[in-house]
Amino acid sequence: MELTTQTFRVTRADLVRYAGASGDFNPIHWNDRFATKVGLPGVIAHGMFTMALVGRAVTAWAGSPDAVVDYNVRFTRPVVVPDDDKGTEIVVNAVVREVTEEGLTRLDVTATCQGEKVLSQARATVRTAG
């Protein structure tokens, strides 16, 4: 069973807000010149911000934040955020891998940006309502 696709827009303004909240002011998250100098294609979103957006999708599917029992990802590709008003989009999908007798649902999660997977081995376990 496939769950409803969720899409999250990410702009440079989002990166500034996340940097303020997290304290992560690494210039790769706001300075194109620095990001390209260190070999990146441009400014990239914070990995934990990307993970949080995908986690928001998992929470929506679960119906409640406390229904999320486990959530793990590996970062495979950076989310490049252009310096414009549109930003970029992270598209999140999930497929139910298993429903256990204990009332847990295991999800295989996919997150893409510009058609490229940005997370691998993204999995979540949620407590099934009822």
Side-chain angles (χ1 to χ4, degrees):
M1 176 176 136
E2 193 165 325
L3 302 177
T4 306
T5 298
Q6 296 192 47
T7 303
F8 300 93
R9 181 158 303 283
V10 180
T11 65
R12 293 277 178 101
D14 295 320
L15 301 185
V16 170
R17 285 189 285 275
Y18 186 82
S22 69
D24 182 353
F25 293 99
N26 187 321
I28 64 173
H29 303 303
W30 56 270
N31 184 311
D32 276 306
R33 193 173 59 247
F34 185 86
T36 55
K37 184 177 178 182
V38 298
L40 294 167
V43 165
I44 62 170
H46 303 74
M48 295 306 289
F49 180 57
T50 301
M51 187 176 178
L53 292 175
V54 176
R56 186 186 298 173
V58 170
T59 298
W61 291 321
S64 172
D66 64 350
V68 180
V69 176
D70 189 41
Y71 172 51
N72 294 289
V73 305
R74 286 203 179 162
F75 302 104
T76 52
R77 187 175 307 266
V79 174
V80 179
V81 182
D83 189 13
D84 60 19
D85 294 333
K86 287 178 36 180
T88 194
E89 289 183 337
I90 297 173
V91 179
V92 186
N93 296 291
V95 175
V96 174
R97 179 169 39 108
E98 175 186 18
V99 178
T100 71
E101 291 181 15
E102 295 81 25
L104 299 176
T105 301
R106 294 198 170 91
L107 304 173
D108 288 333
V109 182
T110 303
T112 60
C113 181
Q114 305 295 319
E116 299 280 344
K117 282 178 89 171
V118 296
L119 301 177
S120 69
Q121 299 181 21
R123 296 188 179 101
T125 302
V126 300
R127 193 173 304 103
T128 307

